[in-house]
Amino acid sequence: MTHQVMKSILYLFAIIPFITFAQTPKKKSAKSSLIESITSDTVDGKFNQLSFSYDKRNRVISITKKEIIITTDSNKINKQVEQITEKQEFEYKGDSTVPFARKFALYKFDDKNKEWYLDIAYVENFLFKDGKRVYDSTLYNDDEKKDSKPKNRYKQIHTSERIYSELDLSIPYNEPNGGIQYYIDEFELTSQSNVSSETSEWTIGKETNGSYYTFTKYDKMLNPLKQLNIASALADEKISLTSNGKYSNTVISWYFLNQNNFLNLSISTDERSSPFKQIYSFRYFYNQYKQPIFAIARVKEETRKEGIFYRKYQKRYTYRYKK
């Protein structure tokens, strides 16, 4: 045996442990991890976070929005002060993976007293038809009951191509605004079950205002929200995270029904209310499960007030998953 052959054999034995170690994760890559949190970048010592909690069956039991401020004490040690701004809690019956109820709480900051307070709190029961959520107890009134109370009329159309929902809160008697008040949300879907556009309009009296979202490109990786057990119940919902900014705050929303992660997004509003347009371009970094672990959003804002003004900046988001 030559010296060169012996050297090659020894080298092969030396790297076998590293080869084995490198291949081990591939065997586990068939099953992805559950999302634990999405965190914005830090601006002026403040950042925001969405956190997800699960039970022993890996069912989502809560989604919490937090505002976190980093402070420094007299010993120059950094500390985090957390404030819950919004919380959803889900309830289940038995071993069912579909929630039957949700508790919702929204907190606001009182500028005068410099403290947070509970602004909205309610409980809703999810109602399903043909395996799809059609409305909930907070929106539903039985039209067969004959009384003088106003009715909440809600309807939804859910197909593979679109989701349309309409909530009519109009009051059937004389009011300053004519008693007219209703909301319309419409999602157009691609063949990959991704949102291509969303229209959200609300009408009060004779005035109609709206927000319009257009998605022009998606990646081919996995949307971590779609993997959650609550995704089917929240198919017509999205969850948002606010990022602090130097000039204004940026709100990014993620849909539960999307199969993939959006790369390009434009948002505009009705020019009669607050004319502006935001254009987002996302770049993701992924783990071995094809899930995003870090995202950079390039944002361009366009406003039409005394001419056209552009402002460009970047936002960053970190995704963490259960181990």
Side-chain angles (χ1 to χ4, degrees):
M1 185 179 293
T2 66
H3 176 73
Q4 183 63 36
V5 172
M6 178 61 73
K7 188 176 180 181
S8 299
I9 293 175
L10 292 175
Y11 174 76
L12 179 61
F13 278 112
I15 67 171
I16 283 176
F18 296 96
I19 296 174
T20 304
F21 179 79
Q23 289 176 340
T24 301
K26 294 182 180 179
K27 296 179 181 179
K28 297 180 180 179
S29 63
K31 187 176 181 180
S32 57
S33 303
L34 294 171
I35 186 73
E36 189 173 65
S37 66
I38 305 175
T39 306
S40 72
D41 51 3
T42 303
V43 177
D44 295 331
K46 182 189 297 185
F47 63 93
N48 295 272
Q49 185 178 82
L50 280 171
S51 60
F52 302 79
S53 299
Y54 303 87
D55 62 12
K56 294 181 180 180
R57 296 185 175 91
N58 285 330
R59 299 178 300 189
V60 179
I61 55 176
S62 69
I63 302 176
T64 306
K65 284 187 187 182
K66 300 176 184 178
E67 180 180 276
I68 303 173
I69 299 176
I70 302 174
T71 62
T72 304
D73 62 16
S74 57
N75 296 321
K76 297 183 179 181
I77 298 176
N78 289 337
K79 294 184 177 180
Q80 292 186 3
V81 178
E82 298 185 1
Q83 172 61 48
I84 295 176
T85 59
E86 182 180 311
K87 188 169 186 177
Q88 303 180 55
E89 296 179 288
F90 300 89
E91 297 182 1
Y92 302 87
K93 291 182 178 179
D95 295 333
S96 175
T97 58
V98 180
F100 79 91
R102 170 171 57 181
K103 295 179 181 179
F104 184 87
L106 178 66
Y107 299 84
K108 284 190 175 182
F109 186 73
D110 186 343
D111 288 323
K112 182 178 180 180
N113 297 318
K114 303 301 179 182
E115 62 181 12
W116 290 87
Y117 66 94
L118 179 62
D119 183 49
I120 299 174
Y122 62 86
V123 178
E124 63 182 5
N125 293 307
F126 296 133
L127 304 177
F128 294 85
K129 182 179 180 181
D130 298 329
K132 295 180 179 180
R133 177 185 165 200
V134 290
Y135 38 61
D136 56 63
S137 60
T138 60
L139 303 178
Y140 175 74
N141 279 18
D142 188 352
D143 289 334
E144 295 182 359
K145 292 182 179 180
K146 306 298 181 181
D147 54 36
S148 59
K149 295 180 180 180
K151 308 297 183 184
N152 298 340
R153 291 169 290 276
Y154 181 83
K155 70 176 182 179
Q156 183 184 89
I157 300 172
H158 190 165
T159 68
S160 60
E161 297 178 350
R162 73 190 277 255
I163 299 176
Y164 175 88
S165 60
E166 181 179 306
L167 173 61
D168 189 349
L169 300 175
S170 300
I171 300 175
Y173 44 81
N174 292 331
E175 286 289 313
N177 289 324
I180 297 175
Q181 182 177 351
Y182 61 89
Y183 301 84
I184 294 176
D185 287 296
E186 184 171 7
F187 305 85
E188 297 291 336
L189 307 178
T190 68
S191 57
Q192 292 79 30
S193 297
N194 292 321
V195 176
S196 60
S197 66
E198 178 194 354
T199 299
S200 295
E201 293 184 331
W202 54 99
T203 298
I204 299 179
K206 297 181 180 180
E207 293 187 4
T208 298
N209 296 308
S211 298
Y212 311 96
Y213 306 79
T214 302
F215 301 85
T216 54
K217 190 176 181 181
Y218 281 83
D219 64 12
K220 296 182 180 179
M221 302 300 184
L222 299 178
N223 169 27
L225 298 184
K226 178 66 175 179
Q227 299 170 273
L228 303 180
N229 65 286
I230 58 174
S232 59
L234 307 183
D236 61 341
E237 292 190 21
K238 57 188 177 183
I239 192 165
S240 303
L241 180 65
T242 301
S243 298
N244 302 102
K246 183 177 180 181
Y247 302 103
S248 62
N249 291 335
T250 301
V251 180
I252 295 292
S253 300
W254 293 273
Y255 298 85
F256 289 91
L257 63 84
N258 280 342
Q259 293 285 350
N260 310 114
N261 308 287
F262 63 83
L263 296 173
N264 297 103
L265 162 67
S266 63
I267 305 174
S268 60
T269 58
D270 196 307
E271 291 190 9
R272 289 171 293 179
S273 56
S274 177
F276 77 93
K277 185 174 184 179
Q278 292 177 315
I279 301 172
Y280 296 84
S281 177
F282 270 77
R283 181 187 178 190
Y284 297 95
F285 300 85
Y286 308 93
N287 59 19
Q288 71 266 38
Y289 306 118
K290 299 183 178 181
Q291 298 169 306
I293 57 174
F294 187 70
I296 299 175
R298 292 179 174 85
V299 188
K300 181 173 69 174
E301 292 185 354
E302 173 185 339
T303 61
R304 293 183 177 86
K305 187 176 182 180
E306 298 179 358
I308 297 177
F309 169 71
Y310 290 93
R311 182 167 59 219
K312 297 181 180 180
Y313 54 93
Q314 289 188 0
K315 305 301 297 182
R316 301 167 190 81
Y317 302 90
T318 303
Y319 302 71
R320 294 190 182 277
Y321 299 88
K322 288 183 63 178
K323 296 181 180 179

